Amino acid sequence: MRGGGLLVAGTTSDAGKSVVTAGICRWLVRQGVKVAPFKGQNMSLNSFVTREGAEIGRAQAMQAQAARVEPTALMNPVLLKPGGDRSSQVVLMGKPVGEMSAKGYHGGRQQTLFEPVLACLEELRATHDAVICEGAGSPAEINLRRTDIVNMGIARAARLPVVVVGDIDRGGVFAQFFGTTALLAPEDQKLIAGYLVNKFRGDVTLLEPGLDMLHGLTGRRTFGVLPYAHGLGIDEEDGLRVSLRGTVRESVVAPPLGADVLRVAVCAVPLMSNFTDVDALAAEPGVIVRFVDRPEELADADLVVVPGTRGTVRALAWLRERGLADALARRAAEGRPVLGICGGFQALGEHIEDEVESRAGAVEGLGLLPVRVRFAREKTLARPVGEALGERVEGYEIHHGVAEVLGGDPFLDGCRVGAVWGTHWHGSLESDGFRRAFLREVAAAAGRAFVPAPDTSFGTLREEQLDRLGDLIEEHADTDALLRLVEEGAPEGLPFVPPGAP
């Protein structure tokens, strides 16, 4: 097999496309297939830096890990990073090429990107046995079909068979499958091979009559029913779209080693980016991580994290409006731990000059760290390695802000003053030794009898999650049929489901 392919589409955003794509990649690589993930266009604030210094969606980096290949810009040639409700930064082949409104993007720019996107897919297909592509949103967004470069546009150009994933936990999955198919043009419908039910709870035999009726209505089969599985929401693209109040990151089910737990509160700042930085904390037994948006929710927190954001100045205003800025200042004065990462680090500084991101000019920071920040037009994209708290640390950097550190103790590329830490490095807490040393410092400052587990390996836990995704596909999907789709394409003679695209 060489150059096979499959597109995993979804009835909605967050239907499970990312994890299903990762699961298929992991299952295929375990069969000895050289496989790569691909997403032509991704909208996400959750991004990653490849070894060649390219910025791509974290979901594609996670899928590359599932496929046991090194992530590259080919796997996500277009990344859109929202800066508000109507505009996004456009990242092409890993580098930012400008800001654009949604109307401007769909009005012309998107079509100019189609050929580069298709060329990236074909390059991956030429060097791999199979490429598992992920769609975006729904393929039945008929208002955007003319300029589509990520769903049926790429599927039709590359002759990819399509499996549509639906989240049955939300309800209405049969209507979603039928409606998605019936709203596509005849040429697009020819590529819709069938469906995959995600997040099913209960007795699957109760679902089977509906699947049989769906087959009768559409002429398309269902390739599997995946059960609901906790703890598999890894490296989401779209953030936590529902209200963040009280949202808890899932963690391993294990008791703390010491007498106390550690409570971590993450400020749910606007345009929050790379919130997955705290997943490594949630992986520690006895560490409870939750997202908060009110000052009183910081009262019992042993550590407060101000995370990355695509809008540092906007996040500063939000912290002040909510009363969180004053709460953070009180914590710092009391010697209670605070960690700022990337945009959060910038917000903790004394002064910001921003003529790039917000164009707000001079803005005063929270003044908790002796740092001055100037926003540069060139984005820093790097994979630094260093040492902190006596431990080796790896991370990655994605920021326009250039920090001038004027004092404090060195901490990665930032600084520390008392119990307040700041750094531009994302992913540093995934370094196991450093994370344990940092948590010991936090526990000491918070007066908690918390002991980090000596053997927690974030990398091992991530591999176990990816294997669970592969297991879900192997155990609950018709893998023989999926492999035939990858090798041979969509079956001939699939019926048209009226009315089709208007």
Side-chain angles (χ1 to χ4, degrees):
M1 173 172 49
R2 173 64 70 179
L6 174 70
L7 176 71
V8 178
T11 57
T12 62
S13 293
D14 204 32
K17 297 183 294 292
S18 295
V19 294
V20 167
T21 300
I24 294 174
C25 285
R26 177 49 59 100
W27 174 75
L28 282 172
V29 78
R30 293 196 307 210
Q31 311 311 305
V33 176
K34 185 181 181 183
V35 60
F38 176 80
K39 185 163 186 172
Q41 172 195 294
N42 194 350
M43 178 173 280
S44 178
L45 287 172
N46 207 12
S47 59
F48 180 76
V49 179
T50 67
R51 294 205 180 278
E52 73 264 33
E55 184 179 9
I56 67 172
R58 265 198 77 102
Q60 279 62 65
M62 175 268 291
Q63 291 161 356
Q65 184 178 350
R68 296 183 179 141
V69 295
E70 187 68 30
T72 74
L74 292 173
M75 297 171 184
N76 180 205
V78 179
L79 174 64
L80 306 178
K81 302 193 72 175
D85 292 336
R86 296 188 177 183
S87 68
S88 293
Q89 182 180 69
V90 181
V91 179
L92 176 62
M93 292 304 294
K95 305 296 181 183
V97 294
E99 295 279 335
M100 187 162 291
S101 68
K103 185 175 181 180
Y105 183 71
H106 289 286
R109 180 60 187 272
Q110 189 178 34
Q111 289 172 297
T112 68
L113 298 174
F114 184 74
E115 289 303 322
V117 166
L118 188 59
C120 289
L121 173 58
E122 292 309 314
E123 186 171 342
L124 287 174
R125 293 180 80 175
T127 54
H128 293 79
D129 300 330
V131 179
I132 307 302
C133 307
E134 180 188 343
S138 162
E141 290 167 350
I142 53 179
N143 56 316
L144 303 178
R145 175 62 184 91
R146 182 178 60 84
T147 57
D148 171 41
I149 65 172
V150 65
N151 289 307
M152 301 312 299
I154 199 76
R156 197 193 293 191
R159 303 306 301 169
L160 293 172
V162 180
V163 173
V164 181
V165 178
D167 179 357
I168 197 170
D169 197 50
R170 295 180 173 187
V173 75
F174 293 117
Q176 292 171 22
F177 284 144
F178 182 85
T180 296
T181 308
L183 277 177
L184 298 178
E187 288 303 310
D188 288 345
Q189 285 196 25
K190 289 179 181 178
L191 298 173
I192 302 294
Y195 315 109
L196 195 63
V197 176
N198 192 29
K199 296 184 182 179
F200 180 72
R201 306 173 192 251
D203 185 349
V204 73
T205 61
L206 298 176
L207 192 65
E208 288 170 351
L211 301 178
D212 291 340
M213 284 185 274
L214 181 68
H215 183 270
L217 289 166
T218 67
R220 289 158 175 86
R221 56 167 300 187
T222 298
F223 290 97
V225 178
L226 307 183
Y228 193 102
H230 289 279
L232 292 181
I234 50 179
D235 291 353
E236 298 101 324
E237 292 179 349
D238 303 317
L240 303 164
R241 285 185 297 275
V242 297
S243 172
L244 285 158
R245 186 172 296 131
T247 300
V248 178
R249 295 302 278 175
E250 293 188 23
S251 59
V252 292
V253 182
L257 269 69
D260 293 338
V261 298
L262 277 186
R263 293 175 173 84
V264 178
V266 184
C267 296
V269 296
L271 300 175
M272 182 167 49
S273 61
N274 289 68
F275 58 85
T276 48
D277 282 333
V278 300
D279 283 355
L281 295 178
E284 286 284 349
V287 176
I288 301 167
V289 178
R290 62 177 182 166
F291 292 85
V292 303
D293 58 6
R294 298 185 300 192
E296 56 267 29
E297 293 175 299
L298 305 189
D300 67 343
D302 302 305
L303 169 66
V304 174
V305 177
V306 187
T309 171
R310 234 305 255 147
T312 300
V313 171
R314 180 174 168 183
L316 263 172
W318 182 87
L319 290 167
R320 288 178 168 128
E321 290 164 4
R322 295 273 176 151
L324 287 160
D326 290 338
L328 289 168
R330 287 193 297 271
R331 288 186 67 90
E334 295 165 0
R336 302 177 66 199
V338 176
L339 171 64
I341 302 174
C342 200
F345 165 45
Q346 297 165 5
L348 296 181
E350 297 173 349
H351 185 78
I352 293 171
E353 288 285 341
D354 182 11
E355 299 293 347
V356 176
E357 190 174 77
S358 69
R359 298 180 175 85
V363 178
E364 294 306 305
L366 299 183
L368 304 186
L369 290 174
V371 174
R372 298 177 72 85
V373 176
R374 175 185 55 82
F375 275 71
R377 296 200 177 278
E378 198 72 22
K379 180 185 281 191
T380 297
L381 296 169
R383 289 277 293 270
V385 177
E387 184 176 301
L389 305 180
E391 299 287 346
R392 186 177 187 274
V393 188
E394 295 183 32
Y396 58 99
E397 295 182 68
I398 306 169
H399 54 91
H400 284 279
V402 178
E404 180 185 6
V405 178
L406 302 173
D409 297 320
F411 178 69
L412 301 177
D413 70 328
C415 65
R416 170 187 181 177
V417 174
V420 180
W421 293 265
T423 177
H424 273 130
W425 291 21
H426 293 291
S428 62
L429 294 166
E430 295 179 18
S431 297
D432 298 325
F434 167 70
R435 182 180 64 254
R436 286 191 278 269
F438 177 72
L439 289 176
R440 283 192 289 269
E441 294 257 350
V442 168
R448 296 289 188 189
F450 171 84
V451 179
D455 55 355
T456 300
S457 167
F458 184 75
T460 298
L461 291 172
R462 174 53 55 90
E463 275 295 304
E464 290 174 356
Q465 283 184 309
L466 294 173
D467 275 332
R468 287 178 64 198
L469 292 178
D471 292 344
L472 282 176
I473 297 299
E474 184 171 350
E475 295 168 11
H476 300 282
D478 186 338
T479 52
D480 289 340
L482 289 176
L483 191 57
R484 280 196 301 274
L485 288 179
V486 171
E487 293 176 334
E488 303 171 9
E492 296 290 332
L494 291 169
F496 172 69
V497 180

